[in-house]
């Protein structure tokens, strides 16, 4: 049985910051009516306040924080209320909790597998109908009508996808992998996992891929799996009366994070039929925090996905899925080619790795520039987003239909097992405008679904099926169409465009080394795809396994490993991976796994911003309400003072959401006394649990009368008495690593010497951002 120690429910956070201007100052409480504090307390607080005020003035000049988004609450809250709840748990409740986690993993796998299958059926049938219509008109020599039908279908589908994204769920645009990666890093960006985002992601991806864009449905599947997991992990909904006593266990960010990790892995497994690759993708690229128990559940989830897809594909082989046949769920089988290699073959692989790294870094650079340009257009409103999508759709349709006219007709090869020219909607040998017995190789690449195009490029024993000039034209067109397509308002994955480009120049390199190499053209195409994937996405282990599961050829393992390592090493010398660039461009405060070099020159107290607000262990209602109204921050230090203690000491940290629940309950007293036992009897731990997708308590929900402002409330029962603390002289680099590895939202900085205030300040995610640190210390060298 799986052992867990995260029973305590986590707490709500402020996702919709009430005061963005204040919120961007670093996640601390920032102001209070200090005239209510006694002279004795002011004597030790005043120097701290002044120092924080000075820091804030400096910050106001240079500007900090690229985003007001705060961290999720992954920390286990150890206050008296949750400890009491933990002590009261029975063995049957522990069994319920663990059973539900595995049940949710099963449901995530089934749901993601069904959605992946539905996506493939829909794309194959919609795109297949469009291509059959175009082919029929071409066979009747109605070339202009064929183009109008082809471009018209594409524009209609593209407009549908754009309208869904622009007007219903803007967060569904793009691949979604950077957003999922940010969430698992602890960033709660707005609406990225909302139900409407899931709806638009599914249908927008179907329409976008069917519209002939150079995009894939594989990247959006990762986002789709994460959305499904988030929906299941909401812990029920009080608003819609969809709750259950057992589901209270999941009203916290820690368990939701684990479920979303399983969902991301399931998305990769459903997109590529690569269950092991899905687990490794979540481990290598998506998740910032991992443990062995999560590995087991993720592996179970992807195994369920693989079983569901296998069963459904077997059903489709009976011909009951419409035009669905050799669709995206079918493996690209290159195992028929011999994978023996010699020294010249290794030289060709090295050459592919270098090309992949170089082209990949240029690709990332151009994608970054295009995204910055599109952001200017998209800011003008939803209508401009739709118009941009229509423009790119017309350009893509013109290239897909117009460029094949540049290619010459090629006689059909002899002794082949498939029909030539192709008579249905997909295949290697498109007739286009050619006479009987001939095919147009460029049309075979352009006028196909992206999955079928990859299958054509990966096909073995077809050394001269595609002319060199056709491969060059296709390479240049797909390279730049992929760049300008990513960033428009449709769900769009990067995997398929990158695989297409890599597979194309892989064949070109194979033709170059044809006199010296014994490797098949299909294997060269696969290695080219691996090199470009490594050069753009900078993943190694997960990509290697995904490609091997995708092609069902384990003999290629050494060559794929080699080309991935070389391409990633070459590309890293130029810029970052494409997902890291997109995270930065979106302004998401992502914490890297390593500390920046300049952080070793600073200590924790150097970047603490403020001013800092603290609460007494027994505080007035008015002081708490004033702090909540004047800030949008989440955590406030609680300090016990004489006569409760001999000297002022840090009691812990209290969360905004807990304060709101406590004020809503109105358990106040007229005198400054401890009332913790009565509060423990009046409130339950579930009252302080994190809200689901609905909005939690806000200040507007409180009804505090004027006479209650002078009353007192005991904060001890809801104060986390074991917050993570670091001494003020700890290097900022060490503090940053601890903050990320522990998945913190608040890190208390305490003084090194005695006789000083018990807390120097609180570090949050934004205090570690380069914009904040280098804004405070502009003379620091970012590279030293």
């Amino acid at each position: 049985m799986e052992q867990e120690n995260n029973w305590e429910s986590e707490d709500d956070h402020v996702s919709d910051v009430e005061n963005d201007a204040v919120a961007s100052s670093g996640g601390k409480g920032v102001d209070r009516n200090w005239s209510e504090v006694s002279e004795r307390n002011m004597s030790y607080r005043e120097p701290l306040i002044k120092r924080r005020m000075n820091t804030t003035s400096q910050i106001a000049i240079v500007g900090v924080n690229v985003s007001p988004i705060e961290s999720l609450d992954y920390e286990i809250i150890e206050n008296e209320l949750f400890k009491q709840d933990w002590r009261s748990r029975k063995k049957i409740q522990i069994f319920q909790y663990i059973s539900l986690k595995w049940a949710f993993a099963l449901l995530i796998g089934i749901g993601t597998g069904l959605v992946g299958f539905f996506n493939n059926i829909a794309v194959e049938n919609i795109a297949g109908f469009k291509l059959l219509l175009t082919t029929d008109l071409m066979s009747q020599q109605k070339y202009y009508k064929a183009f109008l039908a082809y471009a018209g279908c594409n524009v209609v589908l593209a407009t549908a996808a754009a309208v869904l994204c622009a007007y219903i769920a803007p967060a569904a645009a793009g691949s979604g992998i950077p957003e999922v990666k940010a969430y698992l890093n602890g960033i709660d960006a707005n609406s990225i996992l909302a139900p409407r985002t899931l709806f638009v992601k599914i249908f927008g991806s179907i329409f976008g891929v069917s519209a002939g864009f150079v995009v894939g449905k594989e990247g959006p599947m990762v986002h789709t799996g994460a959305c499904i997991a988030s929906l299941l992990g909401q812990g029920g909904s009080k608003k819609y009366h969809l709750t259950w006593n057992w589901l209270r266990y999941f009203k916290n960010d820690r368990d939701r994070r684990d479920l979303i990790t399983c969902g991301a892995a399931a998305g990769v497994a459903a997109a590529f039929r690569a269950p092991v690759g899905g687990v490794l993708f979540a481990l290598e690229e998506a998740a910032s925090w991992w443990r062995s128990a999560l590995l087991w559940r993720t592996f179970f989830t992807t195994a369920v996905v693989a079983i569901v897809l296998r069963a459904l594909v077997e059903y489709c082989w009976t011909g009951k899925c419409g035009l669905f046949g050799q669709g995206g769920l079918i493996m690209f089988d290159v195992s028929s080619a011999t994978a023996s290699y010699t020294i010249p073959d290794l030289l060709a692989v090295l050459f592919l790795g270098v090309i992949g790294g170089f082209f990949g870094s240029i690709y990332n650079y151009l994608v970054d520039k295009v995204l910055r340009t599109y952001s200017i257009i998209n800011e003008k409103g939803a209508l401009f987003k739709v118009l941009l999508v229509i423009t790119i759709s017309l350009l893509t349709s013109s290239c897909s239909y117009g460029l094949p006219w540049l290619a010459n007709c090629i006689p059909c090869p002899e002794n082949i097992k498939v029909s030539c020219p192709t008579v249905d909607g997909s295949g290697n040998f498109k007739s286009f405008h050619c006479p009987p017995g001939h095919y147009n190789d460029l049309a075979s690449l352009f006028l196909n679904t992206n999955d079928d195009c990859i299958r054509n490029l990966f096909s073995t024993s077809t050394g001269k099926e595609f002319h060199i000039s056709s491969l060059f034209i296709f390479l240049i067109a797909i390279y730049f169409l992929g760049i300008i397509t990513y960033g428009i308002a449709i769900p769009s994955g990067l995997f398929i465009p990158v695989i297409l480009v890599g597979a194309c120049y892989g064949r070109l390199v194979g033709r170059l080394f044809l006199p010296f190499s014994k490797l098949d053209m299909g294997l060269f195409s696969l290695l080219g795809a691996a090199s470009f994937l490594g050069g753009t996405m900078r993943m190694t282990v997960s990509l290697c396994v995904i490609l091997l599961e995708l092609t069902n050829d384990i003999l290629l393992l050494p060559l794929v490993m080699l080309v991935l390592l070389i391409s990633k090493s070459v590309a890293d010398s130029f810029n970052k991976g494409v997902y890291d660039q997109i995270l930065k461009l979106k302004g998401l405060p992502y914490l890297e796994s390593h500390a920046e070099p300049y952080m070793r020159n600073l200590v924790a107290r150097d970047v603490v911003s403020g001013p800092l607000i603290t609460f007494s262990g027994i505080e007035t209602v008015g002081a708490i309400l004033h702090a909540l109204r004047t800030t949008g921050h989440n955590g406030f230090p609680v300090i016990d003072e004489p006569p409760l203690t001999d000297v002022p000491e840090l009691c812990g940290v209290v969360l905004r959401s807990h304060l709101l629940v406590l004020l809503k309950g109105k358990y106040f007293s007229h005198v400054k006394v401890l009332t913790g036992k009565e509060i423990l009897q009046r409130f339950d731990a579930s009252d302080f649990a994190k809200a689901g997708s609905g909005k939690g308590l806000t200040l507007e929900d409180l009804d505090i009368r004027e006479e209650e402002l002078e009353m007192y409330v005991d904060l001890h029962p809801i104060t986390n008495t074991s917050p993570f603390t670091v001494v003020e002289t700890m290097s900022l680099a060490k503090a940053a690593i601890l903050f990320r590895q522990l998945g913190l939202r608040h890190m208390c900085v305490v003084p090194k010497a005695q006789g000083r205030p018990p807390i120097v300040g609180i570090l949050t995610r934004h205090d570690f951002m380069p914009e904040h640190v280098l804004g405070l210390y502009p003379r620091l060298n970012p590279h030293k």
Side-chain angles (χ1 to χ4, degrees), residues 682-695:
R682 181 164 179 172
F683 290 94
D684 188 74
S686 60
D687 297 328
F688 295 87
K690 177 181 174 67
S693 58
K695 197 174 184 180

Side-chain angles (χ1 to χ4, degrees), residues 479-761:
Y479 190 89
F480 289 102
L481 283 176
I483 291 171
I484 65 173
T485 303
Y486 192 82
I488 61 177
I490 62 168
S492 52
L494 279 171
F495 272 99
I496 293 303
V498 169
I499 291 176
L500 280 172
V501 173
C504 189
Y505 73 66
R507 272 193 172 262
L508 285 171
V509 172
R511 296 290 290 271
L512 178 66
F513 281 83
L514 187 60
F516 317 103
S517 175
K518 296 181 180 179
L519 288 179
D520 189 271
M521 288 296 110
L523 301 186
F524 267 111
S525 187
L526 171 65
L527 293 173
S531 71
F532 202 52
L533 283 167
T536 54
M537 300 180 182
R538 314 296 163 83
M539 293 181 285
T540 52
V541 179
S542 57
L543 279 179
C544 181
V545 174
I546 288 172
L547 287 172
L548 293 181
E549 290 184 286
L550 191 67
T551 56
N552 197 26
D553 192 356
I554 193 66
L555 296 177
L556 279 175
L557 178 61
L559 296 181
V560 174
M561 291 174 64
L562 181 62
V563 77
L564 281 171
L565 289 171
I566 294 173
S567 61
K568 181 183 185 304
S569 301
V570 171
D572 280 340
S573 61
F574 294 100
N575 51 29
K576 291 186 176 182
V578 64
Y579 296 137
D580 294 323
Q581 290 187 170
I582 294 171
L583 280 171
K584 185 177 181 180
L585 187 62
K586 288 178 176 290
L588 297 172
Y590 185 84
L591 287 174
E592 299 288 349
S593 58
H594 60 276
E596 299 295 338
Y598 57 82
M599 289 185 176
R600 298 186 182 93
N601 302 319
L602 300 172
V603 294
R605 66 166 175 257
D606 291 334
V607 298
V608 172
S609 58
L612 180 71
I613 173 175
T614 62
F615 291 140
S616 298
I618 304 173
E619 189 58 271
T620 62
V621 174
I624 298 174
L625 203 58
H626 176 71
L628 295 179
R629 282 174 176 168
T630 55
T631 73
H633 306 313
N634 181 68
F636 304 90
V638 176
I639 295 178
D640 277 334
E641 305 162 354
L644 293 178
T645 57
D646 295 332
V647 294
E649 63 180 34
L650 179 63
C651 176
V653 174
V654 64
L655 299 182
R656 165 183 284 263
S657 57
H658 290 189
L659 290 171
L660 289 171
V661 174
L662 198 60
L663 294 178
K664 181 72 173 177
K666 289 193 173 185
Y667 196 83
F668 308 143
S669 62
H670 290 280
V671 293
K672 194 173 183 179
V673 295
L674 294 169
T675 57
K677 292 184 178 179
E678 291 80 3
I679 290 177
L680 291 176
Q681 295 174 359
R682 181 164 179 172
F683 290 94
D684 188 74
S686 60
D687 297 328
F688 295 87
K690 177 181 174 67
S693 58
K695 197 174 184 180
L697 273 180
T698 63
L699 282 171
E700 288 72 22
D701 299 323
L702 302 182
D703 183 23
I704 306 296
R705 298 189 299 271
E706 186 70 26
E707 60 271 16
E708 292 174 330
L709 295 177
E710 300 299 324
M711 299 179 70
Y712 293 91
V713 58
D714 186 5
L715 301 181
H716 290 94
I718 63 169
T719 299
N720 180 14
T721 56
S722 58
F724 287 93
T725 61
V726 297
V727 69
E728 60 182 342
T729 54
M730 176 181 285
S731 72
L732 188 61
K734 189 175 182 181
I737 294 173
L738 283 174
F739 192 94
R740 186 187 191 273
Q741 289 181 344
L742 296 173
L744 301 183
R745 182 168 185 174
H746 305 104
M747 176 181 280
C748 297
V749 181
V750 297
K752 186 175 183 179
Q754 296 181 352
R756 295 172 55 193
I759 183 169
V760 175

Side-chain angles (χ1 to χ4, degrees), residues 331-369:
M331 291 183 180
F332 307 120
D333 191 3
V334 298
S335 57
S336 58
T338 304
S340 60
Y341 40 89
T342 58
I343 298 298
D345 297 325
L346 293 178
L347 294 177
V349 170
L350 294 175
F351 184 59
L352 275 175
V354 174
I355 291 179
F358 183 68
F359 281 176
S361 60
I362 297 176
Y363 192 90
N364 291 359
Y365 173 81
L366 294 176
V367 165
D368 181 74
K369 296 301 180 185

Side-chain angles (χ1 to χ4, degrees), residues 35 74 220 301 304 310 478 500 604 639 723 737 755:
S35 62
Y74 291 153
T301 305
V304 171
R310 183 66 183 181
I478 292 298
L500 280 172
I639 295 178
I737 294 173

Side-chain angles (χ1 to χ4, degrees), residues 412-413 416-424 426-431 438-439:
C412 288
I416 57 173
K417 298 179 180 179
V418 296
S419 62
C420 178
T422 303
V423 294
D424 57 7
S426 63
N428 284 41
F429 306 103
K430 285 278 187 177
S431 174
H438 292 71
Y439 71 97

Side-chain angles (χ1 to χ4, degrees), residues 205-257:
S205 177
I206 291 171
F207 294 146
V209 176
S210 301
F213 284 117
V214 186
V215 297
K217 56 186 179 295
E218 285 70 17
M221 272 306 303
V222 176
H223 196 179
T224 299
C227 288
I228 292 172
S230 176
L231 191 62
L232 291 173
Q234 291 297 321
S237 172
K238 291 183 179 179
K239 180 179 179 181
Y240 298 106
H241 306 288
L242 299 174
T243 188
W244 187 25
N245 193 37
W246 286 12
L247 294 179
R248 71 184 187 275
Y249 303 145
F250 295 90
K251 290 183 177 292
N252 63 81
D253 286 326
R254 289 172 62 88
D255 284 315
R256 290 180 194 174
R257 172 189 60 188

